[in-house]
Amino acid sequence: MHELVLKYPVASSCRIVTGNGVLDHFARFAGESMLMQTAVIITDSNVGSLYAGQVAGNLATAGISAEIITLPAGENSKNLESVTAVYRKLAELHADRGTEIIALGGGVIGDLAAFTASTYLRGLPLLHIPTSLLAQVDSSIGGKTGVNFDGLKNQIGTYYHAHLVVSDTAVLSTLPKIEYINGIAEIIKSASIADGELFSLLEGNIEAVLNRKKELLEEIIFRTIKIKGQLATGDERDASSRRLLNFGHTIGHGIESATGLSVRHGQAIAVGMIAAARIARKLEILGSNDLSRLKNLVSRAGLPLRIEGLNPEAVIDAIRYDKKIINGQVNFVLIKDLGNSFVSQEVTPEMIKTALLEENE
Ligand SMILES: NC(=O)c1ccc[n+]([C@@H]2O[C@H](COP(=O)([O-])OP(=O)(O)OC[C@H]3O[C@@H](n4cnc5c(N)ncnc54)[C@H](O)[C@@H]3O)[C@@H](O)[C@H]2O)c1
Ligand SMILES: [Zn+2]
């Protein structure tokens, strides 16, 4: 078991517990972090049938009653209609500020439940049980909440922190492979920007990671959580250090938009990372050996190096509309070597296009 306490600039802190089987002790962790009497578990149709009973049962043994709200699984649920449905249910249940919201699921449920918790009665206490790899290493950390609006991703949202995150690596055994690989892409990202040792660990053990070997997974997940935690607490609102987490994401989001979200997030950011590394190579910031190592790891993880039939112009158009562009300048994350990154304003659309068109180097 590993543990970490993050201190945020705004007076709140978040305890993160991760390890194999930690969910069995969930009520104890929850009890240690706040006096809980009632809880509402928000989950989705896949995760709920697998784990909601276990969580509610665990709470019951500690004398805490829990209601379960289940939404259909998938990104389509991440909208204001679902939030309204949850608000109604909370009103029906007479939820008050002593009611704990427990987000049990992947990033979709995490973002939606956290948004709901942050707005209902101006804030209910929130606790995350992330169940997808992506949610464990990324979305449950850092306090961003959100829902999609009129086709725009995460257009409506708040910053709101859970006081406890319980990440059980055991639940990953039921995660579909494609979702698992999606999460690996974020782990490779974090290693590339901030932890060269983690990168080497992945390189040496990627097959075991793909086979979800327990001890290894615990170590890798904990290290990745630490990176996100440190970068996100360094700056809460998207400036400086937090920007480094966007490695591969400027192009990745462009690819997602240009392909009408038919390319999965992990695949899009994999291609985005490779293109960003090619740009860094061209600028003679990154060595050719590091570029090859990144390409190798990405492809051994089952992620693509390029997307067939991708139109780079459409990607660039989408990047121009990205909310991270300020005064026409792209804040683009480049790596200097594996484990070191910085934000550059030098990257032009032309460079992005060339990098996306390159097949071999
Ligand atoms: N808040 C943030 O900082 C942040 C960061 C990154 C991504 N996100 C958001 O996260 C979302 C993506 O998250 P995601 O990839 O977890 O998607 P998701 O929540 O849709 O989960 C992926 C799929 O896996 C299933 N699933 C999850 N855990 C499972 C388990 N243990 N066993 C079986 N099935 C399981 C889900 O039901 C779903 O079908 C996006 O909406 C994205 O915007 C937010
Ligand atoms: Zn991402």
Side-chain angles (χ1 to χ4, degrees), residues 291-340:
L291 173 59
S292 305
R293 284 177 66 195
L294 181 65
K295 280 164 49 177
N296 272 335
L297 183 61
V298 163
S299 73
R300 282 171 67 208
L303 289 159
L305 300 177
R306 60 191 303 273
I307 306 282
E308 217 52 56
L310 184 71
N311 173 5
E313 290 295 347
V315 176
I316 288 159
D317 283 346
I319 292 173
R320 285 190 219 279
Y321 286 102
D322 192 297
K323 57 181 179 289
K324 283 170 199 78
I325 296 181
I326 299 162
N327 301 331
Q329 256 185 349
V330 189
N331 287 301
F332 199 93
V333 182
L334 294 176
I335 47 172
K336 290 184 216 165
D337 54 54
L338 295 165
N340 267 306

Side-chain angles (χ1 to χ4, degrees), residues 38-42 65-69 86 90 93 95 99-103:
T38 59
V40 173
I41 299 169
I42 303 176
S65 65
E67 295 284 342
I68 300 168
I69 301 177
V86 177
L90 291 175
L93 294 169
T99 306
E100 185 91 25
I101 297 293
I102 300 175

Side-chain angles (χ1 to χ4, degrees), residues 44-48 50-51 72-75 78 105-111 130-136 138-146 148 153-154 168 170-176 179 182-183 186 228 242 249 264-265:
D44 76 19
S45 45
N46 294 334
V47 178
L50 291 165
Y51 303 109
E75 187 73 30
K78 205 175 121 172
V108 165
I109 287 298
D111 279 9
T131 61
S132 68
L133 184 56
L134 180 137
Q136 295 196 350
D138 191 351
S139 60
S140 66
I141 321 288
K144 281 187 180 177
T145 85
N148 307 328
K153 250 186 91 92
N154 301 325
D168 191 340
V171 304
L172 298 177
S173 62
T174 53
L175 188 67
E179 302 298 345
N182 215 30
E186 301 288 356
K228 170 113 196 219
R242 192 164 196 153
H249 279 62
R264 297 192 59 85
H265 182 68

